[in-house]
Amino acid sequence: MKIEQLYTGCLAQGAYYIESEGEVAIIDPLRETQQYIDKAEANNTKIKYIFETHFHADFVSGHVDLAKKTGATIVFGPGASTEYDIHSAIDNEEFKIGKITIKVLHTPGHTLESSTYLLINENGKDHAIFSGDTLFLGDVGRPDLAIKSDLTKEDLAVMLFDSLRNKIMPLADDIIVYPAHGAGSACGKNLSKETVGVLGEQKKTNYALRADMTKAEFVKEVLDGIAAPPQYFAKNAMMNKTGYSNFEYVLKKGDSPLNPEEFEALTNHESALVLDVRPQSEFIKSHIPNSIFIGLNGGFAPWVGALITDIKQPIILVAPEGKEVEAVTRLSRVGYDNTLGYLQGGIEAWVSSGRDIETLESISAETFANRVKSGGINILDVRKDGEYTASHLEDAQHFALDFINNNMNQVHKNKTYHIHCAGGYRSVIAASILKARGYNNLVDVAGGFGAIKKTDLPTTDFVCPSTL
């Protein structure tokens, strides 16, 4: 038996490759599926099943493409409904992969079809669970994503409580836990940075698995402090239910070099959005007017999904040389399949063609501190709610990047704003969006709150986020 976790850091997502006696199961595959096919071929094995723990909302799974390429059967939990062929399993149904068995444990709560897959080894011993978004390390899945007219988040939380108590917690303490996500995912509140654990440890340390916890306490605690889901979640879940464009087609379309004339024509005639994915230091020095910065070197795909509200938006890229395919791939993982190409030769080709560029003023934390002391400046703190509440500059206005599209009326075009986040990535994203909307008096604070705290500027008393 072979189990391999294939973890993608930018999505905080774990896919799994399971092999026994020449047969393979893939759990929760990524959009780009060739990696699984190559691995199976290298081991002279055949992919037999593709198990989906649920209809993922935070990325587009590769199950549809992988099934078409390999003939493998897609398996979802009970009640799953799709527009393509699947096997909708029943609770406790078993599937054979070589000498091992995968048993379906229906664990609704995160979503209605959510299922945990129990791996039973060749000796008949329970070995591991692939828990999807039912159980994380340190947390459990949020129960507010499958709300319907006759189903509330409280209803789903009750289902999740029962699933954990009746299906997960009775299992042996030595069972390995392989979750779908780790720290950085918006599918839970307090996910661990670890990506593999054991169930006994979770029973001791995970707040949601307290042995003496009542159902009412669970509902209150699991729902407390959940931020609104990113707008792309529902769209990704729908793509996972209905199907999507072939990944190779999406990649071929997006991996198209464009000269400056072609690039500019797409902005004028196709209303293409110019997405600059270079490091923020390069965007600050020079960028195309009205372009939006979301760098590959940060939480790229989740921020694209949170901030570009039209998932079908035509996109053209300004990317570091050699990173164009990576950018198109990572966009497709969250369902942005309409990339039309990239600027060949990068910003240098744009400048050489005689076209205009813009810059963004960026200052050190020390310079910023001196300006604050001089008085009369406007400060925008674009960190998340919890970060701001934990500690912030006394005179800062909270303007969370997550909700920038909804809160534009909170800032004024005739004022100058100094913008900071935690480290300098999100502040440049925010500045680029504001600039594209006609806010031209913007100053980035390099190093963000991490650098600001090293100055003598007064901040509010720290409040531990875990107590909020």
Side-chain angles (χ1 to χ4, degrees):
M1 178 177 67
K2 177 180 181 181
I3 301 172
E4 187 172 351
Q5 182 185 67
L6 305 170
Y7 198 78
T8 303
C10 68
L11 288 177
Q13 188 268 340
Y16 297 93
Y17 176 98
I18 305 166
E19 178 187 313
S20 175
E21 297 293 308
E23 295 183 336
V24 172
I26 306 293
I27 297 180
D28 296 339
L30 273 186
R31 182 76 181 272
E32 63 274 23
T33 58
Q34 193 59 42
Q35 58 182 317
Y36 313 114
I37 296 170
D38 291 345
K39 189 176 291 292
E41 288 180 350
N43 295 333
N44 195 29
T45 57
K46 178 177 175 58
I47 298 175
K48 184 178 182 181
Y49 293 112
I50 304 160
F51 291 102
E52 290 288 333
T53 56
H54 63 293
F55 288 121
H56 308 280
D58 54 332
F59 70 100
V60 179
S61 178
H63 56 302
V64 176
D65 273 354
L66 188 57
K68 288 178 180 177
K69 292 176 181 178
T70 64
T73 299
I74 300 171
V75 179
F76 273 96
S81 177
T82 65
E83 295 184 9
Y84 47 86
D85 290 337
I86 64 167
H87 178 92
S88 183
I90 60 174
D91 194 22
N92 295 316
E93 186 172 355
E94 296 184 350
F95 298 83
K96 292 291 185 182
I97 299 98
K99 291 184 177 180
I100 65 174
T101 301
I102 299 289
K103 184 176 182 178
V104 178
L105 305 179
H106 187 209
T107 49
H110 177 66
T111 62
L112 292 176
E113 79 292 339
S114 282
S115 295
T116 294
Y117 295 107
L118 172 65
L119 188 152
I120 303 168
N121 68 21
E122 62 182 88
N123 298 317
K125 184 181 185 301
D126 294 348
H127 178 78
I129 54 172
F130 300 86
S131 55
D133 285 20
T134 296
L135 174 65
F136 300 126
L137 303 184
D139 205 352
V140 292
R142 58 190 299 165
D144 64 332
L145 299 183
I147 297 171
K148 298 182 179 180
S149 58
D150 60 342
L151 200 64
T152 67
K153 59 186 178 182
E154 288 79 12
D155 294 330
L156 287 162
V158 168
M159 291 182 190
L160 184 58
F161 177 88
D162 291 337
S163 293
L164 292 165
R165 264 69 190 171
N166 298 333
K167 297 294 184 68
I168 304 295
M169 292 178 68
L171 298 172
D173 288 354
D174 63 351
I175 284 179
I176 300 169
V177 179
Y178 292 109
H181 301 293
S185 169
C187 289
K189 297 181 295 184
N190 191 38
L191 281 69
S192 169
K193 293 181 181 179
E194 301 298 321
T195 62
V196 180
V198 292
L199 186 56
E201 184 64 22
Q202 288 307 299
K203 292 177 185 178
K204 294 177 183 177
T205 62
N206 191 317
Y207 78 96
L209 302 188
R210 293 200 311 269
D212 61 348
M213 193 178 211
T214 67
K215 187 172 292 186
E217 288 172 337
F218 177 89
V219 172
K220 181 178 184 299
E221 291 187 38
V222 80
L223 292 176
D224 185 47
I226 294 181
Q231 62 86 31
Y232 73 102
F233 268 28
K235 299 168 186 175
N236 277 197
M238 186 56 64
M239 290 178 70
N240 284 322
K241 291 180 182 181
T242 60
Y244 43 74
S245 298
N246 175 274
F247 171 72
E248 282 72 23
Y249 166 76
V250 173
L251 183 59
K252 182 178 180 181
K253 181 175 68 172
D255 187 23
S256 301
L258 303 167
N259 62 40
E261 291 76 18
E262 294 168 328
F263 193 88
E264 188 173 48
L266 286 174
T267 66
N268 293 331
H269 303 302
E270 299 291 337
S271 299
L273 181 149
V274 179
L275 182 61
D276 195 320
V277 303
R278 298 174 298 154
Q280 60 261 36
S281 59
E282 296 183 23
F283 181 88
I284 287 167
K285 291 176 184 177
S286 61
H287 56 266
I288 294 172
N290 297 319
S291 59
I292 300 299
F293 164 79
I294 306 178
L296 287 172
N297 60 351
F300 174 69
W303 280 118
V304 167
L307 299 172
I308 301 177
T309 55
D310 182 2
I311 204 165
K312 297 180 180 179
Q313 169 68 51
I315 293 172
I316 47 179
L317 299 168
V318 180
E321 186 176 358
K323 293 287 187 177
E324 300 87 0
V325 168
E326 177 185 342
V328 177
T329 299
R330 290 170 67 178
L331 284 167
S332 75
R333 289 175 182 167
V334 285
Y336 290 78
D337 288 356
N338 202 13
T339 305
L340 303 180
Y342 63 89
L343 181 60
Q344 188 173 31
I347 201 74
E348 293 80 7
W350 186 264
V351 172
S352 296
S353 72
R355 288 170 168 80
D356 292 338
I357 59 167
E358 293 183 353
T359 61
L360 173 65
E361 183 181 358
S362 184
I363 61 174
S364 68
E366 292 75 17
T367 300
F368 170 70
N370 290 332
R371 292 187 184 183
V372 173
K373 292 170 188 175
S374 298
I377 74 167
N378 302 294
I379 306 167
L380 293 182
D381 183 335
V382 300
R383 295 175 299 158
K384 292 180 179 291
D385 292 352
E387 295 173 281
Y388 177 83
T389 304
S391 182
H392 58 267
L393 289 169
E394 292 180 345
D395 296 327
Q397 174 184 346
H398 189 213
F399 188 67
L401 176 60
D402 310 54
F403 309 111
I404 190 171
N405 291 310
N406 299 327
N407 296 330
M408 208 68 70
N409 61 347
Q410 294 181 7
V411 292
H412 305 278
K413 291 184 178 179
N414 60 345
K415 292 183 178 181
T416 297
Y417 290 96
H418 290 69
I419 307 174
H420 80 82
C421 58
Y425 176 77
R426 288 174 288 174
S427 58
V428 180
I429 296 176
S432 73
I433 293 172
L434 288 169
K435 282 191 69 178
R437 303 282 179 85
Y439 296 80
N440 296 312
N441 303 313
L442 306 170
V443 181
D444 172 64
V445 182
F449 197 64
I452 291 169
K453 287 190 295 185
K454 297 176 182 178
T455 71
D456 58 357
L457 289 178
T459 61
T460 60
D461 292 337
F462 177 75
V463 179
C464 180
S466 65
T467 67
L468 296 175

